[in-house]
Amino acid sequence: MDKHNLLRRIRFMICLFVILLILSGATAFATYTELKWIIESGLFSESSLLGQWLYKVWLAVKDINDRNPLLFYGYDWLAFAHIVIGLAFIGPYRDPVRNKWVIDWGIISCICVIPLAVIAGPVRGIPWYHILIDCAFGVIGIVPLLVVRRWIGKLERLQAEAA
């Protein structure tokens, strides 16, 4: 594979990762509205484990919204953090070899999702299946980053050969 195609693939994968990162964070902006819609639409049976959990979460979110809506400001910052983290990937998009450390940082961050979910989840009363969903963000997120890291290594070798 030539440098141009490799660079194009790297940039595509970085863009995909950033888009998914921002989308996953942006959902925090509309937590109340999203949960209200899910509950009212009846997507999940009230008798199912997931349906019961979503209803419990909805009641907590509704209660907070009714009594202390200012707490959702923290959700706004969570969403903003996803956007800012996405901006960090501009460096490797522009110059992957020079900024490969950002990809390494992203890989480490994905790994750190798992112990956070496993430790903090039970402390906050989160059910095991939701903890697994949270862990999946790290597991799924690391895949494109590992691919990009491997491709950057190839690009680095191609650039060294050309020099």
Side-chain angles (χ1 to χ4, degrees):
M1 180 180 311
D2 65 35
K3 286 191 298 188
H4 176 73
N5 285 333
L6 194 52
L7 185 59
R8 200 178 80 232
R9 284 183 179 194
I10 289 168
R11 287 179 171 165
F12 172 80
M13 195 68 80
I14 288 172
C15 285
L16 178 66
F17 179 81
V18 169
I19 288 167
L20 294 174
L21 175 69
I22 290 172
L23 287 175
S24 72
T27 61
F29 282 126
T31 300
Y32 177 88
T33 307
E34 292 166 344
L35 276 170
K36 183 179 181 188
W37 179 82
I38 287 171
I39 295 302
E40 289 177 351
S41 70
L43 282 175
F44 301 96
S45 168
E46 294 175 25
S47 61
S48 72
L49 199 58
L50 183 57
Q52 290 171 9
W53 170 247
L54 287 171
Y55 188 70
K56 180 178 180 177
V57 172
W58 162 244
L59 290 177
V61 166
K62 184 177 178 331
D63 181 56
I64 289 170
N65 187 64
D66 292 345
R67 294 187 309 128
N68 295 298
L70 63 97
L71 290 177
F72 285 105
Y73 189 54
Y75 280 66
D76 298 337
W77 281 104
L78 171 68
F80 176 73
H82 278 77
I83 295 165
V84 171
I85 292 167
L87 292 174
F89 288 87
I90 292 172
Y93 179 89
R94 293 179 73 190
D95 187 345
V97 173
R98 193 170 117 208
N99 294 293
K100 64 185 173 190
W101 67 270
V102 176
I103 304 299
D104 294 338
W105 167 77
I107 291 168
I108 292 166
S109 298
C110 286
I111 292 168
C112 290
V113 165
I114 296 168
L116 174 68
V118 169
I119 294 167
V123 169
R124 301 290 184 203
I126 306 300
W128 63 269
Y129 55 86
H130 196 280
I131 292 169
L132 292 177
I133 292 169
D134 290 340
C135 290
F137 279 95
V139 173
I140 292 168
I142 203 170
V143 172
L145 295 177
L146 288 171
V147 170
V148 165
R149 188 63 176 92
R150 191 180 77 234
W151 288 346
I152 290 173
K154 287 181 182 179
L155 181 62
E156 195 170 22
R157 287 187 296 280
L158 287 171
Q159 287 177 348
E161 290 171 6

